Amino acid sequence: MKLFLRKHLAFCVSFFLLNIETVAGHGESNIFSDDEESTLDDKYIVIFEETLNDISVSDGAMSTEDVTSWTDDLVKKYNFEKKNVYSDAIYGFSASNVTRGDIEALRKEQGVLLVEKDGIVTIDVIEDKRNGQKRKMEANCQRRQRNTPWNIRQVGWQNVEKNERFKNKRVYVIDTGIAYLPNVLNIDTELARNFLSDEADDRSWEDCNGHGTHVAGTIAAKRNNCGIVGVASGATVVPIRVMNCFGQGKISDVVAALSYVTKTANVGDVVNLSFGGKVENGQKIMDVAVQMASRRGILFAISAGNDAQHSRDYSPARASGNGIYTVCALNHNRKIARFSNYGSPPIDVCAPGKNIPSLSLRGGRYSRSGTSMAAPHIAGLLVFGPLGNFGSVMSREDGISYTYTVPRLV
């Protein structure tokens, strides 16, 4: 487990299986841009210093009223347009109509920790070439498949649906939402939320992209006719939607989602973050948000990245703290997948991530690759408690040898 770090972190976010875009849309690896033509050029995220003082649920550093009041004062002072207010573990707000002069002034305001630009993320999914046409793939599931997928055989699985021990255990999937598939997924529809600020209905948590549903299936699917089954089969999943049907979202909305999860999750609940990105300009909001939430006793499974590079330059993959696990991807032969990021620290564990079959939007079988697909295996294992050591794998990159733990259900 990595030691907790508070300083010298940086931030940039995109889904793994995502293509990071600059807000100007030039396809660079850093989504933060100073391009004045960017659609998010005047949108920023402000985090208060009290965020670092928040330790426990019972003794929070700021009340919701305090955060709202402070936010409203700054919004009025600088003539901002308020977007999100963060009042649980992460304290601050996001706003538009922010000028360059405002940024410098804000950073000098007493009690302000971070002022960072908002950005856009876009999904770029790696599909399994064997999927074929969706219609044909779905039809193949009409004949019951009894074989457990290779990845689940490697990690192990258990049906927890009627086990009282897991009655109050939940796994939050911060992603594109989850398809409403009551026959194969136990979804907490009361806690489910949509944090897309461009959509008026915050209850529209259902997936219309497929990424989040695939992740949820690996974590908790009940066995279906396609042979799909989750690591913690029948566990309760909570859809937290931060990406739209086209696979696009905003960093400020992801931070709002993490704030909400911090407020509603119980100690020992699990969060899957199959997203992240390479750092360019020294931003750190996502790292801080994850680390503050983990101090509340929430467990995290985080994708390491798909660029075959060292994960120390990726966020939130390098976020450190008790209960935070960064995950690299393995292939069928229990070797590090060619696309997977590497480096320990920050990587803690590895799990299957190459050609992973899981749920499609209609409840069928669909395969994808990436560390996005590796992380939910660990999220499923965390439902059961401390990870069991199934052995280790090694890789040699840049002349350095790395050894990674490969957990399994024990």
Side-chain angles (χ1 to χ4, degrees):
M1 182 71 61
K2 304 184 289 289
L3 295 176
F4 179 85
L5 301 176
R6 176 176 293 174
K7 297 180 179 180
H8 309 304
L9 298 175
F11 164 71
C12 165
V13 62
S14 78
F15 272 82
F16 290 132
L17 305 184
L18 303 188
N19 173 37
I20 306 177
E21 295 185 337
T22 65
V23 288
H26 297 305
E28 301 168 4
S29 60
N30 174 26
I31 61 176
F32 296 91
S33 170
D34 290 328
D35 190 334
E36 292 188 9
E37 295 180 359
S38 165
T39 57
L40 299 182
D41 189 62
D42 69 340
K43 297 178 176 62
Y44 281 76
I45 304 168
V46 179
I47 301 297
F48 300 144
E49 286 181 353
E50 287 294 332
T51 293
L52 299 182
N53 296 328
D54 184 71
I55 297 176
S56 68
V57 177
S58 61
D59 187 25
M62 296 184 73
S63 67
T64 300
E65 291 75 16
D66 289 339
V67 176
T68 301
S69 177
W70 195 353
T71 296
D72 289 343
D73 287 345
L74 290 175
V75 167
K76 182 177 180 180
K77 179 178 180 179
Y78 291 97
N79 194 31
F80 295 153
E81 182 179 346
K82 182 171 64 177
K83 298 297 183 181
N84 295 304
V85 176
Y86 314 126
S87 59
D88 293 284
I90 310 127
Y91 301 128
F93 65 96
S94 65
S96 60
N97 197 35
V98 181
T99 67
R100 296 184 184 277
D102 293 336
I103 297 166
E104 296 306 314
L106 270 175
R107 287 173 175 160
K108 296 176 182 178
E109 288 276 357
Q110 184 175 0
V112 171
L113 175 68
L114 300 170
V115 181
E116 295 181 4
K117 196 168 191 176
D118 201 356
I120 297 173
V121 291
T122 304
I123 289 179
D124 182 19
V125 179
I126 303 172
E127 304 287 4
D128 186 345
K129 294 181 180 179
R130 295 173 296 179
N131 277 328
Q133 296 180 352
K134 278 190 176 182
R135 187 172 300 175
K136 181 178 179 181
M137 174 189 65
E138 296 286 351
N140 289 338
C141 293
Q142 300 306 312
R143 295 186 63 184
R144 187 171 181 82
Q145 299 182 26
R146 298 184 180 278
N147 293 334
T148 301
W150 74 271
N151 53 304
I152 300 299
R153 292 198 304 272
Q154 282 199 8
V155 173
W157 72 281
Q158 180 179 324
N159 189 335
V160 304
E161 186 172 16
K162 297 181 180 180
N163 191 323
E164 286 295 317
R165 174 188 168 194
F166 305 101
K167 182 178 180 180
N168 296 316
K169 180 79 73 168
R170 297 170 298 203
V171 182
Y172 290 79
V173 179
I174 301 181
D175 213 289
T176 60
I178 298 176
Y180 184 61
L181 300 169
N183 291 331
V184 287
L185 288 171
N186 290 327
I187 299 175
D188 189 328
T189 59
E190 292 300 316
L191 287 177
R193 288 292 185 276
N194 173 19
F195 281 92
L196 287 166
S197 57
D198 292 334
E199 295 186 6
D201 186 3
D202 68 357
R203 303 286 294 185
S204 299
W205 48 262
E206 290 190 45
D207 190 5
C208 51
N209 177 277
H211 186 273
T213 300
H214 194 282
V215 166
T218 299
I219 296 170
K222 295 178 279 187
R223 186 183 287 277
N224 69 357
N225 286 337
C226 294
I228 299 302
V229 64
V231 175
S233 182
T236 300
V237 291
V238 185
I240 304 296
R241 186 167 176 244
V242 295
M243 306 287 283
N244 63 22
C245 301
F246 302 100
Q248 296 181 333
K250 298 176 183 176
I251 295 163
S252 56
D253 293 341
V254 174
V255 175
L258 279 167
S259 182
Y260 170 77
V261 169
T262 302
K263 178 181 179 180
T264 59
N266 297 321
V267 172
D269 279 351
V270 182
V271 178
N272 189 88
L273 301 179
S274 286
F275 56 79
K278 190 172 184 179
V279 170
E280 295 289 341
N281 289 343
Q283 285 80 8
K284 49 186 139 180
I285 283 179
M286 181 61 69
D287 300 308
V288 171
V290 170
Q291 291 171 175
M292 291 301 102
S294 73
R295 293 173 70 181
R296 301 285 191 95
I298 303 169
L299 306 175
F300 283 84
I302 307 176
S303 300
N306 296 335
D307 296 327
Q309 297 185 24
H310 201 296
S311 289
R312 65 190 167 208
D313 298 324
Y314 285 70
S315 176
R318 64 188 179 173
S320 302
N322 291 329
I324 301 175
Y325 296 87
T326 300
V327 189
C328 62
L330 300 176
N331 61 23
H332 291 72
N333 299 317
R334 294 185 75 246
K335 304 291 185 181
I336 301 297
R338 291 183 179 181
F339 56 77
S340 180
N341 279 3
Y342 57 86
S344 178
I347 293 174
D348 300 288
V349 294
C350 289
K354 176 68 173 177
N355 294 335
I356 303 302
S358 188
L359 294 174
S360 69
L361 281 173
R362 293 191 290 174
R365 185 185 183 103
Y366 205 70
S367 294
R368 292 178 172 179
S369 298
T371 55
S372 268
M373 281 54 259
H377 291 86
I378 301 303
L381 289 175
L382 287 172
V383 170
F384 299 95
L387 298 179
N389 190 343
F390 181 51
S392 61
V393 295
M394 296 183 62
S395 71
R396 185 170 180 81
E397 308 289 347
D398 303 326
I400 301 174
S401 294
Y402 299 99
T403 301
Y404 311 100
T405 297
V406 180
R408 178 178 171 81
L409 185 61
V410 294

